[in-house]
PDB file of all heavy atoms in Angstrom:
ATOM      1  N   TYR A 252      -7.760 -40.110  28.764  1.00 98.00           N
ATOM      2  CA  TYR A 252      -8.601 -38.975  28.419  1.00 98.00           C
ATOM      3  C   TYR A 252      -7.901 -38.146  27.329  1.00 98.00           C
ATOM      4  O   TYR A 252      -6.729 -38.221  27.122  1.00 98.00           O
ATOM      5  CB  TYR A 252      -8.938 -38.163  29.590  1.00 98.00           C
ATOM      6  CG  TYR A 252      -7.892 -37.150  30.144  1.00 98.00           C
ATOM      7  CD1 TYR A 252      -7.850 -35.821  29.747  1.00 98.00           C
ATOM      8  CD2 TYR A 252      -6.946 -37.676  31.080  1.00 98.00           C
ATOM      9  CE1 TYR A 252      -6.857 -34.968  30.219  1.00 98.00           C
ATOM     10  CE2 TYR A 252      -5.995 -36.747  31.593  1.00 98.00           C
ATOM     11  CZ  TYR A 252      -5.883 -35.415  31.132  1.00 98.00           C
ATOM     12  OH  TYR A 252      -4.929 -34.596  31.665  1.00 98.00           O
ATOM     13  N   GLU A 253      -8.768 -37.384  26.689  1.00 97.00           N
ATOM     14  CA  GLU A 253      -8.260 -36.487  25.594  1.00 97.00           C
ATOM     15  C   GLU A 253      -9.104 -35.171  25.668  1.00 97.00           C
ATOM     16  O   GLU A 253     -10.310 -35.249  25.850  1.00 97.00           O
ATOM     17  CB  GLU A 253      -8.413 -37.126  24.210  1.00 97.00           C
ATOM     18  CG  GLU A 253      -7.912 -36.203  23.067  1.00 97.00           C
ATOM     19  CD  GLU A 253      -7.686 -36.989  21.792  1.00 97.00           C
ATOM     20  OE1 GLU A 253      -8.200 -38.094  21.591  1.00 97.00           O
ATOM     21  OE2 GLU A 253      -7.044 -36.409  20.843  1.00 97.00           O
ATOM     22  N   ILE A 254      -8.437 -34.042  25.521  1.00 96.00           N
ATOM     23  CA  ILE A 254      -9.074 -32.825  25.376  1.00 96.00           C
ATOM     24  C   ILE A 254      -8.679 -32.288  24.053  1.00 96.00           C
ATOM     25  O   ILE A 254      -7.504 -32.092  23.775  1.00 96.00           O
ATOM     26  CB  ILE A 254      -8.652 -31.837  26.490  1.00 96.00           C
ATOM     27  CG1 ILE A 254      -9.107 -32.331  27.814  1.00 96.00           C
ATOM     28  CG2 ILE A 254      -9.308 -30.421  26.244  1.00 96.00           C
ATOM     29  CD1 ILE A 254      -8.715 -31.473  29.026  1.00 96.00           C
ATOM     30  N   GLY A 255      -9.624 -32.129  23.071  1.00 94.00           N
ATOM     31  CA  GLY A 255      -9.268 -31.716  21.789  1.00 94.00           C
ATOM     32  C   GLY A 255     -10.441 -31.189  21.030  1.00 94.00           C
ATOM     33  O   GLY A 255     -11.593 -31.213  21.556  1.00 94.00           O
ATOM     34  N   HIS A 256     -10.191 -30.827  19.800  1.00 93.00           N
ATOM     35  CA  HIS A 256     -11.297 -30.293  19.000  1.00 93.00           C
ATOM     36  C   HIS A 256     -12.001 -31.423  18.218  1.00 93.00           C
ATOM     37  O   HIS A 256     -11.337 -32.303  17.620  1.00 93.00           O
ATOM     38  CB  HIS A 256     -10.759 -29.314  17.961  1.00 93.00           C
ATOM     39  CG  HIS A 256     -10.606 -27.951  18.563  1.00 93.00           C
ATOM     40  ND1 HIS A 256     -10.547 -26.776  17.856  1.00 93.00           N
ATOM     41  CD2 HIS A 256     -10.505 -27.511  19.956  1.00 93.00           C
ATOM     42  CE1 HIS A 256     -10.364 -25.715  18.742  1.00 93.00           C
ATOM     43  NE2 HIS A 256     -10.330 -26.183  19.907  1.00 93.00           N
ATOM     44  N   ASP A 257     -13.354 -31.367  18.218  1.00 93.00           N
ATOM     45  CA  ASP A 257     -14.133 -32.117  17.314  1.00 93.00           C
ATOM     46  C   ASP A 257     -14.740 -31.143  16.310  1.00 93.00           C
ATOM     47  O   ASP A 257     -14.749 -29.934  16.547  1.00 93.00           O
ATOM     48  CB  ASP A 257     -15.288 -32.839  18.042  1.00 93.00           C
ATOM     49  CG  ASP A 257     -14.830 -33.994  18.933  1.00 93.00           C
ATOM     50  OD1 ASP A 257     -13.627 -34.433  18.780  1.00 93.00           O
ATOM     51  OD2 ASP A 257     -15.594 -34.528  19.733  1.00 93.00           O
ATOM     52  N   PHE A 258     -15.186 -31.709  15.154  1.00 91.00           N
ATOM     53  CA  PHE A 258     -15.589 -30.889  14.052  1.00 91.00           C
ATOM     54  C   PHE A 258     -16.994 -31.422  13.561  1.00 91.00           C
ATOM     55  O   PHE A 258     -17.086 -32.599  13.256  1.00 91.00           O
ATOM     56  CB  PHE A 258     -14.613 -30.946  12.934  1.00 91.00           C
ATOM     57  CG  PHE A 258     -13.215 -30.577  13.361  1.00 91.00           C
ATOM     58  CD1 PHE A 258     -12.386 -31.413  13.949  1.00 91.00           C
ATOM     59  CD2 PHE A 258     -12.784 -29.295  13.265  1.00 91.00           C
ATOM     60  CE1 PHE A 258     -11.103 -31.131  14.439  1.00 91.00           C
ATOM     61  CE2 PHE A 258     -11.525 -28.901  13.718  1.00 91.00           C
ATOM     62  CZ  PHE A 258     -10.665 -29.803  14.246  1.00 91.00           C
ATOM     63  N   ARG A 259     -17.987 -30.584  13.505  1.00 90.00           N
ATOM     64  CA  ARG A 259     -19.287 -31.039  13.015  1.00 90.00           C
ATOM     65  C   ARG A 259     -19.806 -30.016  11.986  1.00 90.00           C
ATOM     66  O   ARG A 259     -19.868 -28.813  12.366  1.00 90.00           O
ATOM     67  CB  ARG A 259     -20.270 -31.224  14.171  1.00 90.00           C
ATOM     68  CG  ARG A 259     -19.829 -32.239  15.188  1.00 90.00           C
ATOM     69  CD  ARG A 259     -20.712 -32.655  16.230  1.00 90.00           C
ATOM     70  NE  ARG A 259     -20.048 -33.732  17.138  1.00 90.00           N
ATOM     71  CZ  ARG A 259     -20.610 -34.215  18.215  1.00 90.00           C
ATOM     72  NH1 ARG A 259     -21.801 -33.767  18.552  1.00 90.00           N
ATOM     73  NH2 ARG A 259     -19.980 -35.073  18.916  1.00 90.00           N
ATOM     74  N   ASN A 260     -20.142 -30.589  10.885  1.00 86.00           N
ATOM     75  CA  ASN A 260     -20.486 -29.707   9.806  1.00 86.00           C
ATOM     76  C   ASN A 260     -21.886 -29.255   9.821  1.00 86.00           C
ATOM     77  O   ASN A 260     -22.748 -29.684   8.975  1.00 86.00           O
ATOM     78  CB  ASN A 260     -20.160 -30.430   8.438  1.00 86.00           C
ATOM     79  CG  ASN A 260     -19.865 -29.602   7.314  1.00 86.00           C
ATOM     80  OD1 ASN A 260     -20.235 -28.368   7.342  1.00 86.00           O
ATOM     81  ND2 ASN A 260     -19.200 -30.005   6.283  1.00 86.00           N
ATOM     82  N   GLU A 261     -22.229 -28.465  10.825  1.00 83.00           N
ATOM     83  CA  GLU A 261     -23.639 -28.098  10.991  1.00 83.00           C
ATOM     84  C   GLU A 261     -23.731 -26.628  11.341  1.00 83.00           C
ATOM     85  O   GLU A 261     -22.742 -25.870  11.122  1.00 83.00           O
ATOM     86  CB  GLU A 261     -24.226 -28.972  12.177  1.00 83.00           C
ATOM     87  CG  GLU A 261     -24.503 -30.425  11.643  1.00 83.00           C
ATOM     88  CD  GLU A 261     -24.502 -31.414  12.724  1.00 83.00           C
ATOM     89  OE1 GLU A 261     -24.322 -31.128  13.899  1.00 83.00           O
ATOM     90  OE2 GLU A 261     -24.790 -32.655  12.318  1.00 83.00           O
ATOM     91  N   GLY A 262     -24.856 -26.266  11.810  1.00 80.00           N
ATOM     92  CA  GLY A 262     -25.085 -24.800  11.893  1.00 80.00           C
ATOM     93  C   GLY A 262     -24.313 -24.093  12.936  1.00 80.00           C
ATOM     94  O   GLY A 262     -23.681 -24.653  13.828  1.00 80.00           O
ATOM     95  N   VAL A 263     -24.222 -22.768  12.873  1.00 84.00           N
ATOM     96  CA  VAL A 263     -23.534 -21.934  13.825  1.00 84.00           C
ATOM     97  C   VAL A 263     -24.597 -21.099  14.563  1.00 84.00           C
ATOM     98  O   VAL A 263     -25.378 -20.403  13.900  1.00 84.00           O
ATOM     99  CB  VAL A 263     -22.574 -20.980  13.046  1.00 84.00           C
ATOM    100  CG1 VAL A 263     -21.900 -20.026  14.058  1.00 84.00           C
ATOM    101  CG2 VAL A 263     -21.639 -21.786  12.278  1.00 84.00           C
ATOM    102  N   ASP A 264     -24.576 -21.137  15.856  1.00 85.00           N
ATOM    103  CA  ASP A 264     -25.472 -20.268  16.574  1.00 85.00           C
ATOM    104  C   ASP A 264     -24.898 -20.043  17.974  1.00 85.00           C
ATOM    105  O   ASP A 264     -23.742 -20.298  18.252  1.00 85.00           O
ATOM    106  CB  ASP A 264     -26.925 -20.850  16.637  1.00 85.00           C
ATOM    107  CG  ASP A 264     -26.996 -22.116  17.435  1.00 85.00           C
ATOM    108  OD1 ASP A 264     -26.051 -22.435  18.109  1.00 85.00           O
ATOM    109  OD2 ASP A 264     -28.044 -22.791  17.388  1.00 85.00           O
ATOM    110  N   ARG A 265     -25.756 -19.621  18.834  1.00 86.00           N
ATOM    111  CA  ARG A 265     -25.317 -19.219  20.204  1.00 86.00           C
ATOM    112  C   ARG A 265     -24.624 -20.358  20.999  1.00 86.00           C
ATOM    113  O   ARG A 265     -23.744 -20.100  21.809  1.00 86.00           O
ATOM    114  CB  ARG A 265     -26.601 -18.784  21.016  1.00 86.00           C
ATOM    115  CG  ARG A 265     -26.320 -17.796  22.111  1.00 86.00           C
ATOM    116  CD  ARG A 265     -27.609 -17.197  22.596  1.00 86.00           C
ATOM    117  NE  ARG A 265     -28.556 -18.120  23.266  1.00 86.00           N
ATOM    118  CZ  ARG A 265     -29.692 -18.598  22.722  1.00 86.00           C
ATOM    119  NH1 ARG A 265     -30.098 -18.160  21.599  1.00 86.00           N
ATOM    120  NH2 ARG A 265     -30.429 -19.388  23.415  1.00 86.00           N
ATOM    121  N   THR A 266     -24.989 -21.581  20.657  1.00 88.00           N
ATOM    122  CA  THR A 266     -24.386 -22.657  21.429  1.00 88.00           C
ATOM    123  C   THR A 266     -23.640 -23.644  20.562  1.00 88.00           C
ATOM    124  O   THR A 266     -23.227 -24.730  21.026  1.00 88.00           O
ATOM    125  CB  THR A 266     -25.430 -23.476  22.282  1.00 88.00           C
ATOM    126  OG1 THR A 266     -26.465 -23.866  21.424  1.00 88.00           O
ATOM    127  CG2 THR A 266     -26.019 -22.606  23.355  1.00 88.00           C
ATOM    128  N   HIS A 267     -23.447 -23.353  19.285  1.00 90.00           N
ATOM    129  CA  HIS A 267     -22.763 -24.243  18.355  1.00 90.00           C
ATOM    130  C   HIS A 267     -21.722 -23.518  17.523  1.00 90.00           C
ATOM    131  O   HIS A 267     -22.007 -22.554  16.915  1.00 90.00           O
ATOM    132  CB  HIS A 267     -23.789 -24.900  17.405  1.00 90.00           C
ATOM    133  CG  HIS A 267     -24.772 -25.794  18.025  1.00 90.00           C
ATOM    134  ND1 HIS A 267     -25.960 -25.308  18.543  1.00 90.00           N
ATOM    135  CD2 HIS A 267     -24.831 -27.120  18.292  1.00 90.00           C
ATOM    136  CE1 HIS A 267     -26.620 -26.309  19.073  1.00 90.00           C
ATOM    137  NE2 HIS A 267     -25.957 -27.422  18.915  1.00 90.00           N
ATOM    138  N   ASN A 268     -20.518 -24.059  17.611  1.00 91.00           N
ATOM    139  CA  ASN A 268     -19.471 -23.729  16.624  1.00 91.00           C
ATOM    140  C   ASN A 268     -18.979 -24.962  15.934  1.00 91.00           C
ATOM    141  O   ASN A 268     -18.916 -25.996  16.484  1.00 91.00           O
ATOM    142  CB  ASN A 268     -18.245 -23.090  17.454  1.00 91.00           C
ATOM    143  CG  ASN A 268     -17.300 -22.243  16.589  1.00 91.00           C
ATOM    144  OD1 ASN A 268     -17.781 -21.246  16.045  1.00 91.00           O
ATOM    145  ND2 ASN A 268     -16.128 -22.662  16.422  1.00 91.00           N
ATOM    146  N   PRO A 269     -18.695 -24.793  14.662  1.00 89.00           N
ATOM    147  CA  PRO A 269     -18.317 -26.009  13.846  1.00 89.00           C
ATOM    148  C   PRO A 269     -17.144 -26.774  14.432  1.00 89.00           C
ATOM    149  O   PRO A 269     -17.057 -28.055  14.310  1.00 89.00           O
ATOM    150  CB  PRO A 269     -18.036 -25.518  12.480  1.00 89.00           C
ATOM    151  CG  PRO A 269     -18.695 -24.243  12.370  1.00 89.00           C
ATOM    152  CD  PRO A 269     -18.701 -23.693  13.728  1.00 89.00           C
ATOM    153  N   GLU A 270     -16.257 -26.081  15.060  1.00 90.00           N
ATOM    154  CA  GLU A 270     -15.172 -26.727  15.761  1.00 90.00           C
ATOM    155  C   GLU A 270     -15.197 -26.386  17.253  1.00 90.00           C
ATOM    156  O   GLU A 270     -15.381 -25.201  17.593  1.00 90.00           O
ATOM    157  CB  GLU A 270     -13.790 -26.517  15.194  1.00 90.00           C
ATOM    158  CG  GLU A 270     -12.933 -25.465  15.786  1.00 90.00           C
ATOM    159  CD  GLU A 270     -11.608 -25.242  14.954  1.00 90.00           C
ATOM    160  OE1 GLU A 270     -11.672 -24.621  13.934  1.00 90.00           O
ATOM    161  OE2 GLU A 270     -10.648 -25.891  15.313  1.00 90.00           O
ATOM    162  N   PHE A 271     -15.199 -27.358  18.142  1.00 93.00           N
ATOM    163  CA  PHE A 271     -15.443 -27.084  19.525  1.00 93.00           C
ATOM    164  C   PHE A 271     -14.569 -28.070  20.358  1.00 93.00           C
ATOM    165  O   PHE A 271     -14.021 -29.055  19.795  1.00 93.00           O
ATOM    166  CB  PHE A 271     -16.857 -27.319  19.849  1.00 93.00           C
ATOM    167  CG  PHE A 271     -17.436 -28.595  19.581  1.00 93.00           C
ATOM    168  CD1 PHE A 271     -17.583 -29.527  20.653  1.00 93.00           C
ATOM    169  CD2 PHE A 271     -17.807 -28.952  18.281  1.00 93.00           C
ATOM    170  CE1 PHE A 271     -18.130 -30.774  20.360  1.00 93.00           C
ATOM    171  CE2 PHE A 271     -18.342 -30.201  18.043  1.00 93.00           C
ATOM    172  CZ  PHE A 271     -18.490 -31.178  19.063  1.00 93.00           C
ATOM    173  N   THR A 272     -14.485 -27.828  21.587  1.00 94.00           N
ATOM    174  CA  THR A 272     -13.541 -28.560  22.454  1.00 94.00           C
ATOM    175  C   THR A 272     -14.310 -29.608  23.215  1.00 94.00           C
ATOM    176  O   THR A 272     -15.305 -29.357  23.899  1.00 94.00           O
ATOM    177  CB  THR A 272     -12.870 -27.617  23.480  1.00 94.00           C
ATOM    178  OG1 THR A 272     -12.197 -26.648  22.660  1.00 94.00           O
ATOM    179  CG2 THR A 272     -11.809 -28.418  24.211  1.00 94.00           C
ATOM    180  N   MET A 273     -13.835 -30.841  23.148  1.00 95.00           N
ATOM    181  CA  MET A 273     -14.434 -31.981  23.733  1.00 95.00           C
ATOM    182  C   MET A 273     -13.441 -32.639  24.733  1.00 95.00           C
ATOM    183  O   MET A 273     -12.348 -32.784  24.475  1.00 95.00           O
ATOM    184  CB  MET A 273     -14.825 -33.048  22.706  1.00 95.00           C
ATOM    185  CG  MET A 273     -15.580 -34.288  23.237  1.00 95.00           C
ATOM    186  SD  MET A 273     -17.176 -33.881  23.850  1.00 95.00           S
ATOM    187  CE  MET A 273     -18.181 -34.259  22.470  1.00 95.00           C
ATOM    188  N   LEU A 274     -13.996 -32.944  25.910  1.00 96.00           N
ATOM    189  CA  LEU A 274     -13.224 -33.822  26.832  1.00 96.00           C
ATOM    190  C   LEU A 274     -13.891 -35.200  26.885  1.00 96.00           C
ATOM    191  O   LEU A 274     -15.138 -35.271  27.068  1.00 96.00           O
ATOM    192  CB  LEU A 274     -13.305 -33.231  28.261  1.00 96.00           C
ATOM    193  CG  LEU A 274     -12.968 -34.110  29.412  1.00 96.00           C
ATOM    194  CD1 LEU A 274     -11.503 -34.649  29.330  1.00 96.00           C
ATOM    195  CD2 LEU A 274     -13.243 -33.477  30.761  1.00 96.00           C
ATOM    196  N   GLU A 275     -13.140 -36.213  26.586  1.00 97.00           N
ATOM    197  CA  GLU A 275     -13.619 -37.576  26.699  1.00 97.00           C
ATOM    198  C   GLU A 275     -12.702 -38.384  27.582  1.00 97.00           C
ATOM    199  O   GLU A 275     -11.462 -38.193  27.477  1.00 97.00           O
ATOM    200  CB  GLU A 275     -13.749 -38.276  25.317  1.00 97.00           C
ATOM    201  CG  GLU A 275     -14.867 -37.693  24.454  1.00 97.00           C
ATOM    202  CD  GLU A 275     -15.181 -38.620  23.231  1.00 97.00           C
ATOM    203  OE1 GLU A 275     -14.967 -39.836  23.365  1.00 97.00           O
ATOM    204  OE2 GLU A 275     -15.583 -38.091  22.189  1.00 97.00           O
ATOM    205  N   TRP A 276     -13.289 -39.187  28.526  1.00 98.00           N
ATOM    206  CA  TRP A 276     -12.463 -40.108  29.220  1.00 98.00           C
ATOM    207  C   TRP A 276     -13.036 -41.471  29.328  1.00 98.00           C
ATOM    208  O   TRP A 276     -14.301 -41.610  29.228  1.00 98.00           O
ATOM    209  CB  TRP A 276     -12.118 -39.544  30.638  1.00 98.00           C
ATOM    210  CG  TRP A 276     -13.187 -39.671  31.635  1.00 98.00           C
ATOM    211  CD1 TRP A 276     -13.637 -40.729  32.274  1.00 98.00           C
ATOM    212  CD2 TRP A 276     -13.986 -38.580  32.098  1.00 98.00           C
ATOM    213  NE1 TRP A 276     -14.682 -40.445  33.179  1.00 98.00           N
ATOM    214  CE2 TRP A 276     -14.799 -39.071  33.167  1.00 98.00           C
ATOM    215  CE3 TRP A 276     -14.030 -37.183  31.897  1.00 98.00           C
ATOM    216  CZ2 TRP A 276     -15.753 -38.302  33.856  1.00 98.00           C
ATOM    217  CZ3 TRP A 276     -14.930 -36.416  32.562  1.00 98.00           C
ATOM    218  CH2 TRP A 276     -15.773 -36.942  33.504  1.00 98.00           C
TER     219      TRP A 276
END
Side-chain angles (χ1 to χ4, degrees):
Chain A
Y252 74 96
E253 179 164 16
I254 296 175
H256 279 199
D257 287 348
F258 305 83
R259 297 185 183 176
N260 205 339
E261 286 159 357
V263 177
D264 69 12
R265 205 166 69 250
T266 57
H267 295 86
N268 196 65
E270 104 181 76
F271 60 98
T272 304
M273 181 69 95
L274 162 63
E275 291 193 26
W276 76 75

